[in-house]
Each structure stands twice: as C-alpha cells, then as structure tokens.
Amino acid sequence: MIAWVKAAGTAAVTFLLCQPLWAPQWGRGLLGEVGGLGVPVALAVVLVFLGLVALYCRALQRMLERVRPGAAERSPASVWWMFAIPYNFTEDFFIVHAGARSLAADGRVDRRFVRRWAVLGHGWCAFQILSLFPGAAGYVGGAVAVPLWVAHWGLTARAGRTLTPVRPPAAPSPTVAG
C-alpha cells in the first residue's frame, strides 16, 4: 500500500512539474519561473536552495541519530531521500511521519512538542506540493511552505539539542596490576 501511495504521489508531482507542457496557457510553472531568472541567477538560487536542504537534512539526521535504539522508525540516513526529485515531494511526508513516530517512541521529548513538530512538518510538505500548482495557488503555496519549513527546521534543531546523544557503553579501561 505504501509503495502504491509513493508511486501515485510521484506521478502526480511529475504531472504538476510538467504542467507547462500540457497547459502552457496556465503559466511557466515552477521550473519556468526559476529559469526565467536567467542562467546565472537561476543556478545560484538552485544551489543555495539545495545547500539549505542539505543543512536541513543534516539537522534531521542528527536528531534521529539521537533517538534511542529501537525507537527509530527508519534509518537516520533515509532523510537524504529529500534529494530524490520528484520522488521527494511524496517521500517528505513519510520522513516527517517516521520522525514524529521515532520521537514519540523515544519518549524523551514532550508529546505536545512532537505533535507540533509533526503538524509543522506535514504542513510544509503539503504547501510544498501546492507550490507546484500554476498561478496564485502556487505562489501562495510557496509563500506558506518556506516559513513552515524554516520553523520545522528550528524545532528539529531544538529536538536534536534536547536529546542526549545515544552512545554505546564505553569499553572498560584496562587496569594495570601493581
């Protein structure tokens, strides 16, 4: 069932990204808007954005690495699927969901915080998809998604700092007989 949802979501996102091909009268779409900035500016915007996504992924990974063993819903390294475009638009929901379940199962973070973290995370995911729509809906989606994403990033960093790092027990130090 989950594989079907991910496949259908990726197909829908691909359909939206290709909107200028099947409905050019609706506008240039997200890719056209970025491309309309000119090559040097568009390249700079894309590189800065991808750099920010990498920093966000690293914050998510650090947070999940600090979740107690057995509480993690999935591997902390799986957050890097956020770079698998267009699959990431759907996968982001699953990453946030697994992160919330991991934090809840760990039990060291307040339940209200986990709930707020999940709502913000799912919110930016949803508005990110809305940002792919043509016209005003896409602009509104992007304008809402970015602040939600930044707020979620802040909560992620806070949770990562709150959780004590999980480390394997230290090996006993050798003793010297005297």
Side-chain angles (χ1 to χ4, degrees):
M1 175 66 168
I2 289 175
W4 185 87
V5 169
K6 289 180 180 184
T10 301
V13 165
T14 302
F15 183 74
L16 286 170
L17 286 171
C18 293
Q19 166 268 310
L21 299 175
W22 51 265
Q25 68 276 16
W26 291 350
R28 301 185 296 181
L30 177 66
L31 299 177
E33 292 290 333
V34 173
L37 299 171
V39 174
V41 174
L43 184 59
V45 166
V46 168
L47 290 175
V48 166
F49 179 73
L50 292 177
L52 292 172
V53 172
L55 292 172
Y56 172 69
C57 285
R58 185 63 186 127
L60 275 172
Q61 183 178 7
R62 281 186 180 140
M63 180 193 78
L64 292 172
E65 286 170 348
R66 292 178 173 208
V67 168
R68 290 185 184 166
E73 180 90 7
R74 58 196 279 181
S75 163
S78 69
V79 301
W80 294 96
W81 279 106
M82 288 189 177
F83 278 95
I85 299 167
Y87 173 74
N88 69 310
F89 286 86
T90 302
E91 183 64 14
D92 290 347
F93 286 98
F94 291 93
I95 291 169
V96 168
H97 181 72
R101 289 178 51 99
S102 298
L103 286 173
D106 180 279
R108 294 181 289 161
V109 177
D110 180 70
R111 286 182 175 268
R112 289 173 299 187
F113 179 90
V114 174
R115 194 172 15 256
R116 189 169 53 248
W117 187 89
V119 168
L120 273 174
H122 288 115
W124 78 254
C125 292
F127 281 100
Q128 169 187 242
I129 289 182
L130 183 61
S131 76
L132 300 176
F133 281 76
Y139 290 117
V140 169
V144 174
V146 171
L148 290 177
W149 176 56
V150 170
H152 190 256
W153 188 352
L155 289 182
T156 300
R158 183 172 155 201
R161 287 188 307 270
T162 300
L163 296 171
T164 307
V166 178
R167 300 182 197 276
S173 53
T175 57
V176 177

